[in-house]
Amino acid sequence: MGEPKDVSVQQGSVQSDPSISVEIVEDGPYRVRGALPLHTQEIVRNEEGRSWSYRQGRAYPVKDGTMLCRCGHSRKKPFCDGSHKTAGVDLAETASFEPMLQEAEEIDGPRYSLTDNERYCAFARFCDNGQRIWNEVRIEGEEHARLAIYMAHQCPAGRLLVWDRSTGNPVEEPLTASLSLIQDPGAGVSGPLVLRGGVRVQSASGESYEVRNRQALCRCGASSNKPFCDGSHASTKFRDGLE
């Protein structure tokens, strides 16, 4: 399969090796193309009880063609066992192919700006530290600026981007291409499949979604913004049983 043409890459992101991608199987699982490391990642809370960092857990074998559960009903999670065929879950893609920033809100601060597209919220809650990222970015001082950048970089979905107002560029760190299965003990749930490092996501139609540094794909089957996570795993109390 050749590299798709006209792939859109978000400003500040770099696409991974083109041979690496995650494909949406129509009404079915995620198909991994290429070999990517896959681990569980537990959200670790700080002394204030806020989401603060990640703890890497168990590794799972992934090779070219590995199928990962998208409906939330597989008995062999994180792998697909065909349960989507009888689970009665609507797996139709509903997300836009337009760039995320097109519908993002912008908040300007003295040194940095913040863009936020709430449709892609994965409910990881790193943004709630300090005086919350929407306020921190507007407060003078290096400490507040560093905290705003840190919170944005922990956001697994890439919903939040901090921008340097002097250069007009996002403040993003290059990430190694990887997959992770989020575990959220603070909320008592399992979260999305997180793609880091500019991994391309291909629709069942063959069209590619915008390539971004951090993306979160739905694993519970309940998102209204499929294939992307919208935090529905929290309200449905999704548990994958892996940790």
Side-chain angles (χ1 to χ4, degrees):
M1 182 180 296
E3 181 182 355
K5 299 179 180 179
D6 302 323
V7 175
S8 174
V9 180
Q10 186 179 73
Q11 186 177 351
S13 296
V14 177
Q15 185 179 354
S16 65
D17 182 333
S19 67
I20 294 173
S21 65
V22 172
E23 299 175 353
I24 313 300
V25 176
E26 186 172 7
D27 298 323
Y30 299 114
R31 180 189 289 119
V32 180
R33 289 299 186 190
L36 281 169
L38 173 66
H39 295 83
T40 58
Q41 275 196 326
E42 179 181 313
I43 296 176
V44 178
R45 291 180 289 177
N46 58 18
E47 293 179 353
E48 287 72 42
R50 304 290 187 186
S51 299
W52 182 252
S53 60
Y54 295 99
R55 179 184 297 119
Q56 185 166 294
R58 179 180 174 184
Y60 291 87
V62 172
K63 60 183 180 180
D64 185 54
T66 292
M67 299 287 196
L68 300 177
C69 177
R70 185 161 73 98
C71 71
H73 288 267
S74 173
R75 293 175 296 277
K76 296 182 179 180
K77 297 182 188 72
F79 307 109
C80 172
D81 69 352
S83 291
H84 57 275
K85 298 175 182 178
T86 57
V89 178
D90 183 0
L91 294 177
E93 296 172 62
T94 53
S96 171
F97 289 99
E98 297 298 323
M100 176 186 281
L101 294 173
Q102 184 166 296
E103 296 181 351
E105 175 187 5
E106 181 175 338
I107 299 170
D108 292 328
R111 181 177 175 186
Y112 296 104
S113 295
L114 176 72
T115 53
D116 176 13
N117 189 330
E118 192 173 1
R119 282 181 57 81
Y120 293 83
C121 177
F123 196 66
R125 307 177 307 289
F126 290 96
C127 49
D128 287 338
N129 282 286
Q131 298 187 47
R132 308 181 79 227
I133 191 170
W134 302 273
N135 296 317
E136 291 288 346
V137 77
R138 293 187 288 193
I139 303 173
E140 289 273 8
E142 189 64 29
E143 182 178 346
H144 297 287
R146 282 200 303 267
L147 182 56
I149 292 169
Y150 178 81
M151 287 189 280
H153 286 177
Q154 301 311 303
C155 174
R159 160 194 174 180
L160 302 163
L161 286 175
V162 171
W163 300 72
D164 187 328
R165 298 189 66 185
S166 65
T167 65
N169 295 320
V171 183
E172 278 291 302
E173 298 176 348
L175 299 173
T176 301
S178 67
L179 305 174
S180 59
L181 306 159
I182 297 299
Q183 306 296 330
D184 188 353
V189 297
S190 300
L193 171 67
V194 172
L195 284 57
R196 295 183 175 88
V199 177
R200 183 176 62 86
V201 178
Q202 181 173 301
S203 166
S205 70
E207 186 173 357
S208 294
Y209 290 98
E210 178 186 40
V211 171
R212 296 186 282 110
N213 203 22
R214 289 165 284 122
Q215 303 175 85
L217 302 183
C218 174
R219 284 201 298 142
C220 68
S223 173
S224 61
N225 193 36
K226 293 183 183 72
F228 301 104
C229 173
D230 70 351
S232 290
H233 57 272
S235 58
T236 61
K237 301 298 181 183
F238 173 65
R239 298 294 298 271
D240 60 16
L242 299 181
E243 293 283 310

